[in-house]
Structure formats: C-alpha cells, structure tokens
Amino acid sequence: MENEILVDMGGLVAAVRKLLGVGARFGAITCLDLGDGFEVIYHFELQDSPAPLGHVKVRIGKGEALPSISGVYLCAALSENEMRDHFGIEMEGLALDFHKRFLRSKDSPESELLKPAPYEPTPPERLPVRCGDACPAGIDIPRYVRLVGDGRVAEALAVIRQALPFPGILGRVCFAPCEANCRQARQDTPIAIRMLKRFAYDHAAYDEGVPSRQTGKRVAIIGSGPAGLTAAYYLARMGHGVTIYEALPEAGGMMRVGIPSYRLPRAVLDREIDMIRRMGVDILTSNRIASLDTLFEEGYQAVLVATGAHVGIKMGVEGEDHHRVMDCIDFLRDVNLGGRVEPGEAVAIIGGGNAAIDAARSALRLGASDVMMYYRRTRAEMPADACEIEEALKEVVKIRFLAAPTRVLTRDDTIQLESICMRLGPPDASGRPRPEPVEDSEFTVDVSAVIAAIGQHPEFSQEFGIRLGRGNVILAHPETMATSRDAVFAAGDAVLGPASVVEAVRTGKQAASSIDKYLGGTGILAVDEIEVRDLTARDTFIDRWTNESIRVEMPSLPVGERLRGFGEVELGLSEEEARAEGRRCWRCDLEE
C-alpha cells in the first residue's frame, strides 16, 4: 500500500496529530484479525484532493488496549466503537463511548443488527519461488525459513525432512544454490538458508518411525553415499527390503572419505546413517560387488548402482608416479579414515575445485607450514565454492593463479615441481576462457609433496553389463534413472560425475520413485504430512519494510584453534541469530 506510516501503539496518536496539522481528512479504519493479533489501518485523504495522503498502520496483540484517536478526530469515534464491537478490541480514551451498543438497533437494544461475517485469515496462495526452484532436493525453503524465524524449530525440521533425509549433513556441506537465487542476493545479503537448515537440525528432534507396511520386495543398493542412502531411506519407507553394499570399511561414501571432519563432523554423519539403519536397512561394509548377476541370483528384484566417483584423474606430466605425488581422493580418503598421512612442510596442490580446497586445508592441519595451490585460470573461473576459498585464505592457504604443472623432478626422496605460466584465451567447450601456456615462463619450486586434484571419475566392473558414457559415467534416463539393463538403476556421481551432495540426493529420490514403480508401487515418495499454520502475506509486508536486511555471520573457530586439529570450524547460530535471520525472509512465495 502506498504512503504507509508504520507506528507502534505509543506513536499512534502523535502520527495522527501530524496528519491533522497538514489538513488531512479522516476517512475510515480497516482492521484485520491475523490470528495472534490485529492490524489496524487508519485511512486519511487531503482536504481538497482525492489523492491519498497517508495510511497509519499499527499492530497490536490479542488482549491489548488500542489508544483512541477520537481525541484528535472526533468522527473516528464511530469507527472505533464499531471496531470494538466487531473485533472485541479494547479502546483506550474514547471521546464518545457507546458501551458496546453501537451496532444495536434503537428499538430493540438487545438485538444486534446484521454484521459482516468475521474476518478469518486464510493461507495465501503459494507461488513458485526462486530459492525453492533452485533446490535440487525440492525443499519448501520459504516455509521452513519463516518457521525458524517464528521460533517453531521442530516444525521447520519436519518441513525439511519431508524432502530431505539428511538435514544435519546438508546444513553443513550444501553449496546452497538456493542462496544464489534469493532475491536479496542482489544486495549481497541472501538469506542464510543453509545455516538455518543446520540450526533446525541442531535444535530440534524428529522421530523417524519404522515403516509398518512391508511389500516383500527386495532392493540391492551398491554404494552408501548420499544417493544410495537417500534411495534406501525412501524405499524403506515404502515398505521394501533394502540392503546396501559398501566397498569401504565405513558407510557414507564420499561424505565419509571425501569431506573432512572440520566441515562434516563424524558424529553428525554417523547419526544420520544410524537413522537409516533403524528403518531396517542393512548396510554391509567392506563388501565390494563385482557382478550384478550375483545380486539377482540372491533374490533381489531391483538394483541401484550408486558407487560415486572415487578414482582421481592423472595430471599427465612426467614424474607424477613418484611416491610423494599423491592423488587428492586417495589423500583425503587416508586422512578421513584415520590413516598415517605426512605431507611434509611445503605442499603443492594442483587444481581449483572443492576437493583441492579440502586437500589444502587438511594439509595445514597435518603440519604443513607452506601450502600453495596452483590453478591454471583466475579466481573468477575457480569451480570451488566462494565461501570455501575464503576460508582457505583465512587459514593462510596461498593460491597462484595462471599456472599449470609441466613435470615433477625427483631425486631420491626430494621433489621439485616445474610449472609454466598461463594466459587466458578464447572460451573452450566449458564456456570458460581457455588457458594457454606462455612461452619460456617455466619456474620450479621445492616441495615435500604434490597433491593432484584435477578431477575424478567413477569406475565399474565390466561384469555390471551396463552402458557407460563419456567420463566413464553410467548412461541413465535423466528422469527415471533407469540404465540400459532391465531392473538396474543408477544415481549420484555414478551418473553425474563429480557433483554435490544435494544433487546426489535429488537423483537418489528419482531412483527410489522409479524403483517403486518398477516393483508395482505408485512411485509416490512416502513423506509425513504435517500441519503448518503459515504466516500471512500481511505479516510479510510489515516485516519487509521494518527489518534491516543484514545477513547473519556464522560464528567460527579462530584460525589458530582450527589448525590444531580437525574440529568443526563452523560453530552454529544462536537462537536469537537464527530467528532474526528467518524474519529477514521476504516470503516471496506469499506475494511476488
């Protein structure tokens, strides 16, 4: 509404006096019952003009007394008496008080005249929203954000769990495409959606019941990463028997061996996986599957391949077979599984993705004093999340841009990394500027270890008998996740190549739906229906213009404490911080 003046009860009469001073004419009062309170709007016009001058708006709680403006505009007493009779609002200082008889007839004082039907706020129509559209898992983001802002954290967690089995994990490691699509991102203050997801998980409990319905159908899942665990969660809820086969000694896939514990604490990961086990899912670790035929012979009616991408890509340079040259995936796996890893004092990291950042920050925690990343493009082209780059820089990881390795020179147990300077040329197939070597710009540095983090790909046994595509990924239908082999589906990095946890969750949900249909079900994912009373669009309007849009900062460990070990860096939001951040949301799903 144009020309609104928002006041509290203490400032109401003063605001009205100012309008009187400029010759405003009182028109009418609008009152809305919002459930937990009232919103009252006083409408004014200029004396000699039909143009609106101002609308004074005040919000009061149920049971509070509203100051009367009849001492300023006597004619307002009629509207205020009617508002009191109609809504039960107590008025303070009425110039003319009809003692709750204003709406009764003169001849029959005990009989009320017909009144309008009481105002009953109804949930506004939900609209498509940018943050929700950007979420691969399909979470109802604005709903859980405003529930956190309203202090209803358990309901917020329930909303998240309707679309996502692992809020504790995604609340820590999701790269949050939703935030980039938030309308407030234009002012560099998007809602801290990921942080609020973590807050809901950390401060509320969710009782995941054991499915009572059993179909008698059995599904084998190869891989216990985010895609496999997600599919197992939904298939178990649908009543199917699910067994997960994991080649590693512990469950979790790349969440276990690829993400350091300073980002994803093992207690959180274990708690989320234990929830899957409590639903009746068997997880068999140290159990590598070489042939799908053996699974069908054991009586499984469907198989899901969700093995992840655990094989690093070689740099393709001379000398990279030296034992002090490590593959990033192998390095992180050894670190995360508690192996003895000693990268030495000076470590070179080759690459600019999230895995390269994780390797660099892990090397610091293992005692390295000089960690340098080499990336062949500029920071603008780095595929790593911007926030992860910033955290690495805080920890004094150094980055040399426009440099690429050419060979590794070795002598006994010492190595030198030879690199060449690059410049950016025309865009390549990825759309990024193509790095081109600068002639005669080679340079060498002495290092204790080189960690190559230039990419990874899946690896499968030929006995699987399924078609593969470029990058050794499984060719699967983009919607059904069905492969070239009957009754075999695929999900996660096995199909996508190296991707994010939330993208793997999306494909796991798709695969679960398709497998259920294949086994004779409806394909409708089983989720708990929850009753959530939404705030109204009117609340949105008030909040939008009265809140200062300052994004909350995630508290974190001081740098000196971080590098003493692998303790979690992010400390989580306080209740006050989370509620304030939730209230910043513009509720775009309620009004556009």
Side-chain angles (χ1 to χ4, degrees), residues 281-558:
V281 174
D282 291 326
I283 303 178
L284 307 180
T285 57
S286 300
N287 205 312
R288 183 179 297 275
I289 299 298
S291 171
L292 303 185
D293 293 337
T294 59
L295 296 176
F296 289 113
E297 290 168 2
E298 291 177 16
Y300 292 103
Q301 283 88 21
V303 173
L304 173 65
V305 181
T307 50
H310 291 259
V311 180
I313 296 175
K314 293 284 189 180
M315 293 185 291
V317 300
E318 178 187 339
E320 68 177 319
D321 293 329
H322 191 273
H323 69 278
R324 300 299 296 174
V325 179
M326 311 175 194
D327 172 71
C328 178
I329 300 304
D330 293 339
F331 171 75
L332 290 174
R333 183 187 301 119
D334 290 343
V335 171
N336 290 320
L337 291 179
R340 184 179 177 86
V341 184
E342 297 177 351
E345 290 290 324
V347 179
I349 310 291
I350 312 302
N354 286 324
I357 296 286
D358 286 339
R361 297 175 69 186
S362 295
L364 286 173
R365 287 159 172 78
L366 292 170
S369 57
D370 181 14
V371 177
M372 175 73 78
M373 295 179 62
Y374 294 86
Y375 181 56
R376 59 183 182 159
R377 292 184 172 94
T378 70
R379 179 167 176 175
E381 290 80 38
M382 279 186 78
D385 296 342
C387 60
E388 290 299 312
I389 299 172
E390 286 299 324
E391 291 302 313
L393 293 174
K394 286 180 186 178
E395 296 173 5
V396 203
V397 170
K398 292 174 282 188
I399 307 177
R400 177 153 185 174
F401 297 105
L402 295 172
T406 53
R407 59 177 173 166
V408 178
L409 306 173
T410 66
R411 178 178 295 176
D412 299 326
D413 200 41
T414 63
I415 57 177
Q416 280 187 321
L417 176 66
E418 181 182 273
S419 303
I420 189 169
C421 295
M422 311 293 283
R423 60 169 168 254
L424 296 182
D428 60 15
S430 70
R432 296 180 296 172
R434 183 190 303 278
E436 299 173 344
V438 176
E439 189 176 356
D440 298 328
S441 64
E442 290 85 355
F443 62 94
T444 61
V445 292
D446 294 326
V447 295
S448 57
V450 175
I451 300 176
I454 61 173
Q456 65 234 50
H457 61 79
E459 186 175 57
F460 306 102
S461 166
Q462 291 185 348
E463 298 298 319
F464 279 17
I466 48 181
R467 289 182 59 198
L468 303 179
R470 185 178 179 181
N472 211 42
V473 298
I474 297 173
L475 293 176
H477 190 281
E479 297 297 329
T480 66
M481 312 313 295
T483 71
S484 60
R485 182 170 177 177
D486 183 50
V488 177
F489 302 79
D493 291 357
V495 175
L496 303 171
S500 68
V501 174
V502 71
E503 289 171 317
V505 167
R506 171 183 61 81
T507 61
K509 292 174 68 173
Q510 290 175 273
S513 175
S514 297
I515 290 170
D516 181 62
K517 281 184 180 179
Y518 179 82
L519 297 177
T522 63
I524 300 174
L525 300 182
V527 296
D528 291 333
E529 293 296 328
I530 60 172
E531 193 74 28
V532 175
R533 178 182 63 80
D534 274 311
L535 305 179
T536 67
R538 179 63 64 181
D539 292 320
T540 301
F541 191 91
I542 295 173
D543 289 346
R544 179 178 299 183
W545 296 106
T546 56
N547 284 342
E548 293 185 9
S549 189
I550 301 174
R551 178 182 165 101
V552 69
E553 292 289 334
M554 172 65 83
S556 61
L557 281 178

Side-chain angles (χ1 to χ4, degrees), residues 130 179-190 586 592:
R130 298 175 186 179
E179 294 184 15
N181 281 266
C182 175
R183 292 171 70 184
Q184 296 190 55
R186 296 175 180 176
Q187 289 78 40
D188 295 323
T189 58
W586 283 358
E592 187 63 36

Side-chain angles (χ1 to χ4, degrees), residues 51-64:
L53 176 65
H55 308 278
V56 179
K57 182 184 296 183
V58 62
R59 182 170 178 176
I60 65 172
K62 294 289 180 73
E64 293 182 317

Side-chain angles (χ1 to χ4, degrees), residues 12-13 42 66-73 76-77 80 91-95:
L12 172 61
V13 174
Y42 298 83
L66 180 66
S68 170
I69 69 166
S70 59
V72 183
Y73 288 90
E80 289 183 336
M91 302 301 303
E92 192 176 77
L94 270 169

Side-chain angles (χ1 to χ4, degrees), residues 78-231:
L78 300 177
S79 296
E80 289 183 336
N81 273 276
E82 184 173 7
M83 182 170 62
R84 182 177 67 173
D85 288 359
H86 189 76
F87 291 97
I89 298 174
E90 288 301 320
M91 302 301 303
E92 192 176 77
L94 270 169
L96 295 173
D97 191 342
F98 294 95
H99 303 290
K100 299 185 180 180
R101 292 196 300 270
F102 181 67
L103 293 180
R104 300 179 188 276
S105 71
K106 180 178 178 181
D107 297 331
S108 302
E110 300 304 319
S111 300
E112 291 189 66
L113 296 175
L114 291 176
K115 300 181 187 179
Y119 174 77
E120 296 182 1
T122 57
E125 183 178 351
R126 301 292 301 281
L127 302 171
V129 65
R130 298 175 186 179
C131 59
D133 289 344
C135 177
I139 305 173
D140 192 342
I141 290 171
R143 176 167 282 173
Y144 90 71
V145 165
R146 62 173 165 263
L147 286 170
V148 172
D150 202 34
R152 295 149 64 186
V153 184
E155 290 176 81
L157 181 59
V159 168
I160 298 168
R161 290 296 297 270
Q162 283 189 306
L164 178 72
F166 315 120
I169 294 172
L170 269 298
R172 287 167 165 83
V173 305
C174 185
F175 71 103
C178 50
E179 294 184 15
N181 281 266
C182 175
R183 292 171 70 184
Q184 296 190 55
R186 296 175 180 176
Q187 289 78 40
D188 295 323
T189 58
I191 302 301
I193 297 169
R194 178 186 65 83
M195 297 184 199
L196 295 182
K197 186 186 295 104
R198 170 183 168 166
F199 177 84
Y201 174 82
D202 288 349
H203 291 82
Y206 187 87
D207 184 17
E208 185 67 61
V210 177
S212 57
R213 172 178 173 267
Q214 298 297 322
T215 65
K217 304 294 178 63
R218 299 174 63 210
V219 181
I221 296 177
I222 307 174
S224 65
L229 289 171
T230 297

